[in-house]
Amino acid sequence: EVADDRELLDIASRAAWLSGLLPDARSLAGRGIECARRAGDLEAESAALRLICRLDHDVSDAIATAESTTALAALVERLDEGREQGTAVAVLAEMCMLVDDPDGANAWADRAVAPGHRRCGGAGGATAGGVALQRRPRGVTATLSEGCFGYRRSALALAMMVPFKASITSGCTRKT
């Protein structure tokens, strides 16, 4: 049994998920959300809700998946721009992909990579600490890099699920 410690609840829920104990993982993540809400910690609430979205999908509960995804989408609007928001938006893109909604997946993916794109200069295909996109006739190229906003993890998740060609770089570069 885990105490009402947000960090321990997060670790325990992920361990239960990875061990295939989905009902336990769901219960622990739910407790994590309650604990985060009591503390007013939006990032911890988002982290727990991200896991719940995936757990709901993994147990094939379409109604719960839609509800948790909708709740995460609403929470994203209250998060500050940064790593957690980028990760949450990437999970929303993933959830759309998992329910065969490519338009939703692309819309959320675009939103996930936009902060990294803005950070290093806009339309030229800049890369920094997250991702910048270059539109090409046959798809999208995502370039991932370390630093800046910390969107690398989110972008990498996106690169695995939508038709992206991904390359990992270091530093902040600008493509012309």
Side-chain angles (χ1 to χ4, degrees):
E1 195 63 27
V2 179
D4 282 341
D5 178 305
R6 291 187 311 270
E7 188 174 340
L8 286 176
L9 287 167
D10 180 54
I11 291 167
S13 61
R14 290 185 183 285
W17 175 48
L18 294 172
S19 299
L21 303 171
L22 302 184
D24 292 336
R26 180 68 163 84
S27 174
L28 290 164
R31 286 178 53 196
I33 287 175
E34 292 169 13
C35 190
R37 285 179 180 155
R38 281 194 307 272
D41 187 342
L42 292 177
E43 290 191 359
E45 181 179 349
S46 174
L49 195 51
R50 287 188 285 109
L51 179 57
I52 285 176
C53 288
R54 186 55 195 239
L55 289 166
D56 289 343
H57 172 76
D58 287 352
V59 297
S60 301
D61 188 337
I63 294 171
T65 300
E67 290 171 353
S68 57
T69 302
T70 299
L72 183 60
L75 182 59
V76 160
E77 301 306 324
R78 298 176 18 223
L79 290 169
D80 292 332
E81 186 176 280
R83 181 174 299 206
E84 181 56 37
Q85 186 189 54
T87 303
V89 171
V91 166
L92 290 166
E94 178 185 21
M95 297 312 297
C96 288
M97 185 259 327
L98 291 172
V99 297
D100 297 322
D101 177 7
D103 292 335
N106 285 326
W108 284 112
D110 286 347
R111 183 167 174 190
V113 298
H117 189 61
R118 284 193 306 271
R119 171 77 171 145
C120 283
T127 65
V131 176
L133 293 177
Q134 274 186 304
R135 294 268 179 210
R136 298 200 179 187
R138 298 180 60 102
V140 178
T141 299
T143 305
L144 302 107
S145 62
E146 297 281 353
C148 295
F149 283 110
Y151 282 89
R152 180 174 175 247
R153 179 177 168 201
S154 302
L156 185 55
L158 291 171
M160 294 185 309
M161 68 184 161
V162 289
F164 283 107
K165 175 183 173 189
S167 63
I168 302 201
T169 64
S170 61
C172 184
T173 60
R174 194 175 167 96
K175 292 186 178 184
T176 57

